[in-house]
Structure formats: C-alpha cells, structure tokens
Amino acid sequence: MDRFFTQTHCDRCHKSLDGGRIMSMFNTQCICMECSDKERQRPAYKKAVEADHEAIRSGNYNFSGIGEDAQDMEQEIHSRSREAINEAEFNENQGEFSGAGASGDYESSDDDADDDDDTDDTDTGGSDD
C-alpha cells in the first residue's frame, strides 16, 4: 500500500493525521488539514493548483508539484517561528500564573525557616515564670 495511506504523521508539522490528510499542491508531502489550510493562504497556491490541473489534463496523474517557492517558504518559516515564540511565551506565562504562590501554596525552604528576630517561638512545655 502507498505510504500516503499508511503514514500516521504530517510530513510538515509532524502532528497526527487522524483528522485527515491531503497531498500538498507544492510537492509530494502528505500533510494534515491544518497545514493544508495554511498552504492555501500562500501567495503561490493558485499557481500550484493551476499547474496541477494542467498536468492532469496532460495525463500526468503523478505530478510532483511546482516545488516550494523561496519567498513563500520564508514567509511560512517566519510564521511558524512567530507561532513558536508565542507558544513559548504563553507557556512561560502559564508557569507564572500556575506556579508557586498562585494557589496560595507555598513551600518553605531552609532559608525561609529563619526569621529575622531571635525569639524562639517553640513551646518547651515549661512555665514562663
């Protein structure tokens, strides 16, 4: 059976293909529907579709695509980088909000156990006469 039907992860983003799969219009990558949606936004997408249709009209049912346009790829890489940065910032912020002190929980360390005053707060059971 063809690898397109048996692979489990997107060739581009490596996410699961459980939600569907499609062949890229630019090359022979098997991509997920999310990557397909992003691909449709690329400036050269219309050109890629037209080339695919022309190949089919000519009898080429195994057209390998027009290839990746350098400007398109640069734009996509920048977009992915921005998404990765946003995700990292979000995760960092989540750590601030869900970390120590956010829920009122506080773990003391040995440094926190020492108070600045020198009084002994422990009860030794004796009288204070």
Side-chain angles (χ1 to χ4, degrees):
M1 183 175 282
D2 189 275
R3 181 178 183 275
F4 176 84
F5 297 105
T6 59
Q7 72 185 77
T8 58
H9 292 88
C10 176
D11 285 331
R12 253 185 224 157
C13 71
H14 307 290
K15 291 181 182 173
S16 173
L17 292 171
D18 288 342
R21 69 189 70 215
I22 192 166
M23 185 72 70
S24 168
M25 283 305 220
F26 291 91
N27 54 38
T28 58
Q29 289 181 321
C30 177
I31 59 176
C32 66
M33 302 316 289
E34 183 178 333
C35 285
S36 176
D37 291 342
K38 290 178 183 178
E39 187 176 87
R40 285 186 175 100
Q41 303 303 313
R42 294 168 67 176
Y45 183 77
K46 184 177 179 183
K47 179 180 169 185
V49 170
E50 289 170 356
D52 185 60
H53 290 175
E54 182 59 35
I56 292 168
R57 281 192 289 274
S58 300
N60 181 359
Y61 297 99
N62 293 311
F63 183 59
S64 59
I66 63 171
E68 300 291 343
D69 180 63
Q71 186 177 0
D72 267 359
M73 286 306 296
E74 185 176 324
Q75 186 176 21
E76 185 172 331
I77 289 168
H78 177 73
S79 174
R80 285 186 187 181
S81 296
R82 185 71 241 162
E83 288 174 8
I85 290 168
N86 288 342
E87 183 176 337
E89 288 173 350
F90 174 78
N91 290 338
E92 185 177 300
N93 288 339
Q94 289 292 35
E96 285 179 23
F97 296 123
S98 63
S103 63
D105 296 338
Y106 180 75
E107 293 181 25
S108 64
S109 66
D110 290 338
D111 294 336
D112 294 336
D114 294 332
D115 293 332
D116 287 337
D117 64 72
D118 291 336
T119 59
D120 186 8
D121 295 334
T122 58
D123 185 9
T124 58
S127 65
D128 290 333
D129 294 301

